[in-house]
Amino acid sequence: MKKCLPIIFAALITVSVLTGCEGRNSSSEQNNAAVQSSEPAIIQNALSKNGASSPTVSPNASAAYEKLMAYKTEDYGQQSVDDFNAALASTPDELTEFLAAEADVINTISPDDENYDFFTTTMSFSADELYCEHMGEEFSFPINLSKQSRLCDYLDEDGEAVYEFNCFVELNVAYSINAPKLVSVAERDKAFLTFKEEMQNYLNGLSEAEITDGNIREALTDKATELAKRLSTENMQLSSCEIYLIEINVAGEETIQ
């Protein structure tokens, strides 16, 4: 049974922070291998994209939480992405420390924490950008969507609600920030969160028949393309969307695309 969406999203963000961005081609993987040999301090503390193991939670999670909270100033949202990311980590050693601290927090923070959104959005987006920039990879952010209906009158073994109809979607959106000094942290975060919210609303609006009988991959791709175009600006552009999993479960019969 899938976990609730916020937990799924947090888990996916954790992997993104530790492993970098999706969509590497064979050429970029070879380039990354060369970088790995020259930057062991950073790479050996990150999970490999293929076959990643479960991240280890550091006993210093509380200290990491307090350290990173120092960046949640009253005006952090108005800071440029360039200034904010530079403050987080401007050297390889600082990047290693920051990624470790962010991973510690993400692996322990509760969705009920008042700073949950700050860590799973602002800090995770910046961590991913810093990692990808260091590795020479394309920026991207992951999104998990779900639509469930026909609630059953019993719970699963974990005490969670069970639905006869379930549709889960995992996708990745590539983007570029052409003028990081002109894009504020708040503008960046709003664009990503709006994209996710509108994609979720679109999926919610589809009927079960439209999902199971129509070309759901094409429909979602078209919607993502429309949103990317609308949310892009001269200074920040959202581009390609890769849907890498569509899982549909109807009354126990599972289909994976």
Side-chain angles (χ1 to χ4, degrees):
M1 182 66 185
K2 293 280 186 180
K3 298 297 181 182
C4 64
L5 187 60
I7 295 178
I8 296 174
F9 181 63
L12 189 56
I13 286 290
T14 302
V15 174
S16 178
V17 169
L18 292 173
T19 65
C21 306
E22 294 292 337
R24 298 178 186 170
N25 56 32
S26 59
S27 176
S28 65
E29 287 173 350
Q30 293 174 355
N31 292 337
N32 291 345
V35 177
Q36 287 177 340
S37 63
S38 63
E39 294 288 358
I42 293 176
I43 308 307
Q44 295 306 316
N45 286 320
L47 300 179
S48 62
K49 182 170 292 297
N50 298 314
S53 58
S54 299
T56 301
V57 178
S58 166
N60 298 319
S62 294
Y65 183 102
E66 294 301 322
K67 176 181 178 179
L68 297 184
M69 275 300 297
Y71 296 99
K72 190 181 180 182
T73 60
E74 290 186 4
D75 65 342
Y76 81 90
Q78 282 66 57
Q79 294 181 49
S80 71
V81 170
D82 186 69
D83 290 342
F84 187 76
N85 287 357
L88 294 174
S90 59
T91 67
D93 286 344
E94 289 179 355
L95 178 57
T96 300
E97 295 175 2
F98 170 61
L99 291 178
E102 172 68 0
D104 284 339
V105 174
I106 289 293
N107 279 296
T108 56
I109 195 169
S110 165
D112 297 327
D113 190 292
E114 63 180 349
N115 297 306
Y116 181 80
D117 290 341
F118 173 70
F119 284 108
T120 59
T121 56
T122 300
M123 295 299 272
S124 288
F125 292 149
S126 286
D128 200 51
E129 288 167 3
L130 286 164
Y131 183 95
C132 290
E133 186 176 59
H134 178 82
M135 297 298 296
E137 297 181 7
E138 183 177 52
F139 291 173
S140 66
F141 63 97
I143 294 177
N144 278 31
L145 309 173
S146 68
K147 178 182 174 68
Q148 298 175 286
S149 57
R150 287 189 264 158
L151 179 65
C152 299
D153 59 359
Y154 57 89
L155 304 177
D156 67 7
E157 62 272 15
D158 297 322
E160 295 185 355
V162 177
Y163 296 85
E164 288 193 3
F165 180 87
N166 303 272
C167 176
F168 300 102
V169 181
E170 297 178 2
L171 57 93
N172 210 59
V173 181
Y175 70 96
S176 60
I177 301 180
N178 306 321
K181 288 188 176 297
L182 300 179
V183 177
S184 72
V185 171
E187 290 171 338
R188 179 199 64 183
D189 293 359
K190 182 179 179 181
F192 298 163
L193 295 177
T194 298
F195 192 104
K196 179 181 184 299
E197 180 182 13
E198 296 206 18
M199 285 296 295
Q200 181 64 61
N201 290 341
Y202 178 75
L203 180 61
N204 289 342
L206 297 176
S207 67
E208 292 183 14
E210 287 174 316
I211 293 174
T212 57
D213 301 337
N215 191 330
I216 182 61
R217 181 178 293 273
E218 181 178 342
L220 290 172
T221 299
D222 288 347
K223 182 62 178 179
T225 300
E226 172 203 325
L227 285 172
K229 182 177 181 180
R230 175 158 60 85
L231 294 173
S232 291
T233 65
E234 182 179 354
N235 298 322
M236 186 176 80
Q237 297 181 335
L238 283 65
S239 53
S240 61
C241 170
E242 177 187 6
I243 299 176
Y244 50 92
L245 175 67
I246 298 178
E247 178 183 327
I248 302 172
N249 187 306
V250 183
E253 296 186 7
E254 184 176 77
T255 301
I256 297 179
Q257 300 183 21

